[in-house]
Amino acid sequence: MTAFLGNLLGKLLKFVYDIVSNIGTEPEKFSYYAMAIIITTIIFKLILLPISLHQSKSTKKMNDLQPKIKEIQNKYKNDPQTQQAKMMEVYKENKYNPMSGCLILLIQFPIIIAFFKVMGNPVTFAFKDPQVYAAMNKSFLWIANLENPDPYMWGLPLLAAATTYLQSLTMSAAATADPQAQATQRTMNIFLPFMIFFAARGFAAGLALYWVISNTFQVIQQLISNRSLGKIKEETR
């Protein structure tokens, strides 16, 4: 499945590269390859946008239902069957599917893995000809070759960690009000950026560039989504 998706996304990367490489003169420090990665990442995120927005709405609705759910859990803590039945009634009344969040993640996961594979092995999935790929300029600002890790840990690795942290914060704003879930989210807010930082120091800078652009898009999208959902909630009061 991921190989099939990888080939599709690889064709998209090659298509974008062919377009940008025919526009003007290639800047010495900002290669067509870097441009193609950035543009393809944005297109990729736009393709996933409807799924991401649905996930944000699902998370917001679950957050709104949390007080009722906690009340039912406390009231029927010694009667699991009744507790489950009452919770399903609340879900049905509010047209909420508790499995929707998991289904959305299951849809996104293989697509994200496939795109990550494309960025990690562009010859196999996108450019096909190793000689053509080897001859391409792959520079990006201070990075001479996006195939190699960023030589400066304050560069893309730090940006990857920072954007991961910002993304976690914006997602926390729409997260469930459950204390246990909030505690888990706070731990992830700290742990995940560090993990991404050390990982980005070791893998190709092209992957780190993809991660930074993807996170930046996600942060902007989440901020707009949080604001829009907040306005909708205020209007319905």
Side-chain angles (χ1 to χ4, degrees):
M1 181 65 174
T2 54
F4 172 74
L5 292 171
N7 285 320
L8 288 178
L9 293 169
K11 289 179 180 178
L12 175 61
L13 176 63
K14 179 63 164 58
F15 176 73
V16 173
Y17 177 83
D18 288 342
I19 291 177
V20 298
S21 62
N22 287 310
I23 300 175
T25 303
E26 184 176 29
E28 183 180 353
K29 296 293 185 179
F30 198 168
S31 65
Y32 290 141
Y33 181 58
M35 296 179 198
I37 290 176
I38 293 171
I39 295 171
T40 303
T41 302
I42 293 172
I43 293 173
F44 172 67
K45 296 300 292 185
L46 287 172
I47 291 172
L48 290 179
L49 186 59
I51 299 175
S52 297
L53 290 175
H54 192 280
Q55 185 177 20
S56 296
K57 291 179 181 179
S58 177
T59 301
K60 182 65 175 175
K61 182 168 285 190
M62 184 59 196
N63 190 30
D64 294 340
L65 293 177
Q66 198 63 37
K68 292 182 180 178
I69 298 301
K70 294 296 287 185
E71 182 181 345
I72 291 172
Q73 289 174 337
N74 291 331
K75 186 175 182 180
Y76 300 100
K77 59 183 177 181
N78 296 321
D79 187 354
Q81 291 184 338
T82 303
Q83 180 187 107
Q84 187 65 26
K86 293 292 184 181
M87 287 170 61
M88 294 306 296
E89 286 179 11
V90 171
Y91 293 147
K92 187 175 181 180
E93 289 172 2
N94 291 273
K95 298 179 180 179
Y96 173 74
N97 181 0
M99 295 299 295
S100 60
C102 295
L103 291 173
I104 291 167
L105 288 175
L106 287 174
I107 292 170
Q108 289 189 81
F109 187 71
I111 301 174
I112 293 171
I113 293 298
F115 195 82
F116 202 77
K117 290 178 70 173
V118 172
M119 292 292 96
N121 196 349
V123 174
T124 299
F125 291 101
F127 298 96
K128 307 301 181 182
D129 189 333
Q131 293 182 342
V132 171
Y133 179 73
M136 287 167 45
N137 175 20
K138 305 178 190 70
S139 64
F140 175 70
L141 302 179
W142 65 90
I143 302 170
N145 189 339
L146 287 169
E147 281 187 297
N148 302 323
D150 191 325
Y152 305 106
M153 63 180 179
W154 49 259
L156 287 177
L158 185 59
L159 286 173
T163 54
T164 298
Y165 179 69
L166 288 174
Q167 183 186 5
S168 298
L169 286 182
T170 56
M171 290 181 67
S172 297
T176 176
D178 181 67
Q180 185 175 356
Q182 287 183 339
T184 302
Q185 185 65 49
R186 283 194 295 269
T187 302
M188 290 300 295
N189 288 354
I190 297 171
F191 173 75
L192 190 58
F194 278 103
M195 187 180 73
I196 293 298
F197 173 75
F198 287 107
R201 292 183 63 188
F203 55 53
L207 280 170
L209 178 60
Y210 150 70
W211 191 260
V212 170
I213 300 302
S214 178
N215 282 346
T216 301
F217 184 99
Q218 190 70 34
V219 166
I220 295 171
Q221 173 202 312
Q222 193 67 52
L223 287 172
I224 295 173
S225 178
N226 290 350
R227 185 174 180 181
S228 299
L229 291 173
K231 285 183 177 180
I232 291 173
K233 184 178 179 180
E234 289 178 2
E235 290 172 0
T236 54
R237 285 178 178 174

